[in-house]
DNA sequence: TTGTAAGCGTTATCAC
DNA sequence: GTGATAACGCTTACAA
């Protein structure tokens, strides 16, 4: 399976083709070259198995064909799906992906940025939690779900609309006493709009709603307590819950069932993300699905745009409601 | 959040520190340098925010500090967990990870190898399905789960022992009529030993066992039919199933339940991998868990070893049985 | 349109 | 131990 080879250089190709070094370079950069020359160079390159050395090219022209993706982790299905789609979108454009997982550690995030800057990538796509992140001005950066400033394009789902749709669906399906559960980091992000949209839609329709908002470090305990306390005599004083992620939703569904409630008969639940079961591909819950392939494409597209003079500061992609068995539809 | 900077070079650091260029280089390569000089250089570098340009270094010394990981996908929890752990293991050693997903497409796998070779990575860790994969002899390569030849180190779980343990557990828990279900690619791999170990252990204990072995493209249909056909009058003629992956196990458990069987009361099931539920972190089934962090560490360790003269051709790491509710323990 | 030559930032080889 | 200098493989003016 292994194969010998003493990596040929442009000089070798030039000699083989009987042309000058510069001509070979031009061929590989799609610059105008006499057709007969181009052919000879291509044949010579083929014969020698030549490939441009991207480090030499990177050194000379600061174009490395590499983009760095920075993610908190890649075990969460949303992130791993994102990683896969970014990787594919980059492959299509003949770019490579440098992946770094930060464990949501702000200082490590900063360190990663430094490391990839040193590595001279053509750009960075980051889903980070460090609000003070310092990124070198000449490294194109696209943020996922976090709006740093107008100068840094942010790609996200239409979280606000997603929250609205969740509320409308629950109401349409008969709910009148709604709950919004949210757990996440303290860092402000686009995802916060899920709750805002949800509440706005409830208010608009005059439907009662309450919120429980926690930080990651609180764990699910307070949610459980809330649910328990709001079931006097075993009957819940709520009939629908919108959770800010599918992960939270599945956890809440488990708790509800443990507490003797039926989902979706007694309580309907909608999550957010559109995570699918690893085996069957079915949903864990009814959900507002994020368009991950499109998000990935938008990130790559925005990052690699030729003209970076006036980039959009926010790119919002439409979400879609998908029934997943935890609502009565 | 953005910050100005016109990337300083070694020359700048040298000037700032009042030393020669070569001295700066030595400091950054941990070569012997007078202590006072080292200090001055470090201060100057700090002050200027200098970082070595890894492309220049890569061009000159062919050490790029980058390793490529090639995986079929990163949405399968086993692969994504692997990716994350490889990434972390590399980060610890100050290496970057270039990730490529191949979609199990053999020709694309080959193309990826070419691409990363062009990118001059320090090594490749690959989980591939192309049996004819051509890898440049001077690019260190470590294979996951596939034994190409003695020259290519392969890292895998102790699949044989895992199969044995699965059989022993099921027998210990009262099973007497066992089934082995396997689905996967045609390409021979270490994972094939799961079935071998299972069967050997059954034979050793004189316990009846049958196998159903399918190819990915067959889908689960034939398994369902097999199960149905082997339940005359609703009573299965088997009482334990070992599946070659957790994914398959969860699918079979679903089917068994649809067919009116109770798991684990009527039929006990053990899977392989140790995949955990994305939300709760609980297992999907009783399983033979692969030591993914250790596998990742072993890959990186083997790939980056200084002395590559006599590498092991196979590194087998111990697996462990974990009850997950689909066995009676 | 083609060939020549000067670097890009590092590392490594020498004299000092 | 330290400091000039020649590569590494490529791109890109610029000259032919």
């Amino acid at each position: 399976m292994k194969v010998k080879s003493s990596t040929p250089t442009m000089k070798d190709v030039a000699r083989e083709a009987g042309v000058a070094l510069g001509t070979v370079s031009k061929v590989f950069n799609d610059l105008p070259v006499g057709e007969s020359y181009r052919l000879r160079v291509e044949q010579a390159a083929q014969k020698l198995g030549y490939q441009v050395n991207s480090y030499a090219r990177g050194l000379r022209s600061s174009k490395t064909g590499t983009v760095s993706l920075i993610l908190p982790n890649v075990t969460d299905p949303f992130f791993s799906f994102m990683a896969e789609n970014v990787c594919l979108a980059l492959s299509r454009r003949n770019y490579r992906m440098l992946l770094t997982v930060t464990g949501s550690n702000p200082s490590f995030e900063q360190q990663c940025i430094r490391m990839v800057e040193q590595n001279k990538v053509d750009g960075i796509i980051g889903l980070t939690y460090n609000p003070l992140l310092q990124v070198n001005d000449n490294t194109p950066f696209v943020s996922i779900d976090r709006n740093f400033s107008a100068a840094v394009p942010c790609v996200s789902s239409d979280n606000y609309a997603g929250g609205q749709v969740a509320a409308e669906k629950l109401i349409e399906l008969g709910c009148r006493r709604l709950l919004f559960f949210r757990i996440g980091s303290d860092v402000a992000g686009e995802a916060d709009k899920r709750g805002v949209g949800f509440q706005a839609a409830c208010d608009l329709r005059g439907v009662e709603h309450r919120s429980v908002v926690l930080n990651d470090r609180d764990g699910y305990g307070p949610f459980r307590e809330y649910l328990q306390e709001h079931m006097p005599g075993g009957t819940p004083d709520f009939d629908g819950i919108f959770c800010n992620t599918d992960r939270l939703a599945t956890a809440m569904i488990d708790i509800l069932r443990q507490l003797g409630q039926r989902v979706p008969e007694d309580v309907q639940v909608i999550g957010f993300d559109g995570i699918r079961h690893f085996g069957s591909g079915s949903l864990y819950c009814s959900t507002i699905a994020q368009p991950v392939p499109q998000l990935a494409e938008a990130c790559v597209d925005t990052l690699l745009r030729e003209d970076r003079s006036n980039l959009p500061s926010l790119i919002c992609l439409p979400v879609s409601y998908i029934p997943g068995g935890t609502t009565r539809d």
Side-chain angles (χ1 to χ4, degrees), chain A:
Chain A
M1 154 244 178
K2 290 247 178 178
V3 127
K4 297 261 169 226
S5 136
S6 54
T7 332
T9 145
M10 269 198 182
K11 210 188 270 179
D12 299 323
V13 178
R15 195 185 312 116
E16 175 75 27
V19 302
L21 180 59
T23 312
V24 181
S25 171
K26 280 174 191 155
V27 170
F28 281 97
N29 286 289
D30 279 324
L31 293 172
V33 159
E35 200 48 48
S36 64
Y37 283 76
R38 153 163 279 121
L39 215 65
R40 270 159 64 202
V41 168
E42 277 166 356
Q43 281 171 349
Q46 185 81 44
K47 180 173 167 198
L48 269 49
Y50 169 77
Q51 307 236 117
V52 277
N53 177 328
S54 55
Y55 277 83
R57 171 179 280 177
L59 175 59
R60 186 59 236 251
S61 65
S62 323
K63 298 291 295 159
T64 64
T66 306
V67 162
S68 170
L69 176 65
I70 299 182
L71 248 30
N73 66 68
V74 82
T75 43
D76 183 304
F78 175 71
F79 295 146
S80 63
F81 196 38
M82 196 72 201
E84 178 152 329
N85 280 280
V86 168
C87 187
L88 293 172
L90 288 170
S91 282
R92 265 179 247 125
R93 292 166 173 78
N94 255 291
Y95 272 75
R96 265 90 52 210
M97 181 180 85
L98 213 49
L99 176 68
T100 320
V101 307
T102 63
S104 312
N105 177 334
S107 71
F108 189 55
E109 283 176 354
Q110 184 63 70
Q111 195 187 322
C112 290
I113 301 271
R114 291 273 166 265
M115 263 176 72
V116 300
E117 274 176 355
Q118 158 179 356
N119 229 57
K120 301 267 171 297
V121 294
D122 289 346
I124 304 175
I125 300 173
L127 202 167
T128 58
Y129 294 110
N130 183 340
L132 307 163
L133 212 57
Q134 302 270 309
V135 178
N136 197 310
D137 221 358
N138 39 38
T139 311
F141 188 93
V142 169
S143 164
I144 302 177
D145 276 348
R146 293 248 358 252
N147 215 331
F148 285 96
S149 76
V152 182
C154 168
V155 171
S156 87
S157 292
D158 192 342
N159 291 286
Y160 187 90
Q164 283 182 308
V165 169
E168 285 160 9
K169 267 296 160 188
L170 288 171
I171 294 168
E172 176 190 325
L173 294 169
C175 295
R176 289 296 172 269
R177 309 173 81 186
L178 293 173
L179 253 38
F180 170 61
F181 278 10
R182 187 261 194 201
I183 192 162
S185 91
D186 286 330
V187 183
E190 286 297 307
D192 299 343
K193 296 182 182 165
R194 296 172 191 175
V196 181
F198 179 80
Q199 287 157 1
C202 290
D203 287 339
L204 188 68
R205 282 165 184 68
V207 172
E208 174 197 326
H209 61 94
R210 289 160 280 163
S211 294
V212 182
V213 172
L214 298 183
N215 184 284
D216 282 321
R217 62 177 166 273
D218 301 326
Y220 294 157
F223 289 127
R224 173 186 288 272
E225 284 158 28
Y226 186 94
L227 293 175
Q228 270 175 320
E229 283 164 14
H230 289 263
M231 290 183 192
T235 310
D237 67 1
F238 53 86
D239 52 12
I241 311 181
F242 172 47
C243 297
N244 76 326
T245 66
D246 284 348
R247 161 172 273 156
L248 178 59
T250 58
M252 293 307 106
I253 291 163
D254 281 351
I255 294 177
L256 285 168
R257 290 188 171 144
Q258 284 165 19
L259 295 175
Q261 301 303 318
R262 291 169 307 163
V263 179
E265 293 82 354
D266 303 323
V267 181
Q268 301 185 68
V269 180
I270 294 184
F272 203 108
D273 279 345
I275 304 300
R276 288 175 182 278
H277 191 281
F278 90 103
S280 60
S282 59
L283 292 165
Y284 284 91
C285 55
S286 296
T287 189
I288 307 296
Q290 300 205 54
V292 177
Q294 289 82 344
L295 288 171
E297 188 67 30
C299 288
V300 171
D301 204 67
T302 310
L303 192 73
L304 264 28
R305 263 161 69 155
E306 295 293 326
D307 177 16
R308 301 190 58 72
S309 55
N310 52 350
L311 291 169
S313 70
L314 179 60
I315 298 177
C316 241
L317 266 33
V319 295
S320 55
Y321 168 75
I322 314 179
T326 58
T327 43
R328 297 200 297 267
D329 46 7

